[in-house]
């Protein structure tokens, strides 16, 4: 057995522990703000798939946002078993096989959270090409991953021995442009919950961001980017007119 297969077969127990319906909803509440601002205009009846969906936190967030046709895949049988409690359509499958089986230009949204960093560079390029083919014109590709620009990324990136590489918002934009995705946007993700403590963390982070911008300006002479959280999200839109 390859080392990644060994880890993925036990991913939930090794990295995240048991999950209850309450913790699933809590996880959904932390990722929902990342999606909400970008998906408002989408037709909520169009098929949506989450690649590497894990226990289904993101699918639950999408459902909370009004999407009625959500499904996903994951290579971990234990994660799929948890997701199936709420989403029977989730299947155990390789994401490339699963995505290939979708009809061309049939999807309104493809999400992939905390997966890209596990793929090789060539696999990511292949994924972007395939995603563009499966999305309907105007459809969205939304990803979440470690932020190579952040001074805190080491804890996330090196904390998982299956990680292959690490993007920055700038390299993510290049990736999108190379594969026919326009209207690129990137966003910080502090991972705060809607609780009081989460809101206080959000306020405190604004002060930390100012400090990081000042440090960057001292070193480089310019303020630099505004995305410093150890994880970030980005989205690209499939061009209506083929490039």
């Amino acid at each position: 057995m390859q080392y990644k297969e060994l880890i993925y077969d036990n991913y939930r127990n090794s990295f995240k522990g048991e999950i209850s319906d309450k913790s699933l909803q809590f996880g959904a509440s932390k990722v929902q703000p990342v999606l909400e601002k970008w998906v408002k205009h989408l037709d909520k009846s169009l098929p949506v798939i989450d690649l590497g969906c894990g226990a289904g936190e993101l699918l639950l967030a999408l459902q909370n946002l009004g999407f009625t046709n959500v499904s996903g895949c994951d290579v971990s049988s234990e994660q799929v078993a948890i997701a199936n409690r709420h989403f029977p359509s989730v299947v155990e499958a390789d994401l490339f096989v699963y995505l290939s089986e979708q009809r061309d230009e049939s999807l309104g949204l493809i999400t992939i959270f905390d997966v890209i960093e596990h793929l090789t560079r060539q696999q990511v390029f292949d994924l972007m090409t395939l995603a563009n083919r499966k999305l309907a014109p105007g459809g969205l590709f939304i990803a979440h991953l470690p932020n190579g620009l952040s001074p805190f990324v080491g804890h996330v990136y090196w904390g998982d021995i299956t990680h292959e590489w690490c993007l920055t918002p700038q390299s993510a934009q290049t990736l999108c442009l190379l594969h026919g995705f326009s209207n690129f946007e990137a966003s910080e993700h502090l991972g705060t919950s809607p609780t009081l403590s989460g809101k206080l963390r959000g306020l405190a982070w604004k002060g930390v961001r100012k400090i990081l911008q000042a440090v960057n300006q001292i070193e480089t002479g310019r303020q630099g980017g505004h995305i410093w959280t150890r994880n970030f999200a980005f989205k690209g839109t499939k061009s209506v007119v083929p490039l």
Side-chain angles (χ1 to χ4, degrees):
M1 178 180 290
Q2 297 293 318
Y3 79 97
K4 285 191 176 183
E5 293 177 1
L6 176 63
I7 292 172
Y8 293 153
D9 282 347
N10 300 278
Y11 200 79
R12 173 58 61 174
N13 289 332
S14 300
F15 291 93
K16 299 185 178 182
E18 293 297 321
I19 188 167
S20 63
D21 288 349
K22 184 177 180 180
S23 60
L24 189 70
Q25 184 66 63
F26 183 72
S29 73
K30 294 174 72 173
V31 296
Q32 191 167 316
V34 178
L35 300 165
E36 192 167 10
K37 59 189 174 185
W38 287 335
V39 302
K40 289 179 179 178
H41 68 284
L42 291 180
D43 181 347
K44 302 301 190 296
S45 66
L46 285 174
V48 174
I49 62 171
D50 183 29
L51 302 174
C53 66
E57 293 95 337
L58 196 67
L59 292 173
L60 186 56
L62 290 164
Q63 191 176 74
N64 291 341
L65 290 171
F67 288 94
T68 58
N69 187 358
V70 298
S71 59
C73 70
D74 201 279
V75 295
S76 169
S77 58
E78 61 177 0
Q79 298 243 66
V80 170
I82 297 170
N84 282 156
R85 296 178 196 166
H86 299 279
F87 303 99
S89 60
V90 169
V91 298
E92 182 181 348
D94 174 86
L95 65 88
F96 289 96
V97 174
Y98 181 75
L99 188 56
S100 295
E101 291 173 346
Q102 310 303 315
R103 288 189 298 107
D104 288 358
E105 298 195 338
S106 66
L107 304 175
L109 171 65
I110 296 172
T111 56
I112 181 165
F113 274 44
D114 306 326
V115 175
I116 283 180
E117 62 272 21
H118 297 269
L119 306 176
T120 66
R121 289 169 172 80
Q122 186 59 57
Q123 285 177 320
V124 174
F125 271 63
D126 293 343
L127 170 66
M128 297 295 285
T129 299
L130 186 57
N132 188 281
R133 193 167 84 232
K134 299 302 178 178
L135 282 168
L140 294 186
F141 179 90
I142 300 179
H144 181 278
L145 64 164
N147 176 17
L149 187 64
S150 171
F152 313 113
V153 72
H155 175 75
V156 175
Y157 181 70
W158 296 111
D160 188 329
I161 58 178
T162 64
H163 287 171
E164 294 282 349
W165 65 321
C166 192
L167 279 79
T168 68
Q170 183 178 7
S171 59
Q173 182 175 21
T174 300
L175 188 66
C176 284
L177 290 173
L178 287 172
H179 292 90
F181 289 95
S182 58
N183 301 319
F184 175 87
E185 287 185 37
S187 173
E188 286 188 331
H189 185 221
L190 191 57
T192 55
S193 68
T195 62
L196 177 59
S197 62
K199 292 177 181 178
L200 290 174
R201 281 180 58 209
L203 288 173
W205 176 252
K206 292 181 179 180
V208 173
R209 188 193 298 119
K210 291 290 185 183
I211 294 171
L212 293 172
Q213 289 171 352
V215 170
N216 191 76
Q217 190 153 20
I218 291 170
E219 182 189 358
T220 67
R222 56 185 182 275
Q223 197 174 68
H226 300 279
I227 298 177
W228 301 103
T229 50
R230 64 189 65 190
N231 292 296
F232 80 107
F234 71 85
K235 70 97 174 172
T237 305
K238 177 175 177 176
S239 301
V240 176
V241 179
L243 297 181

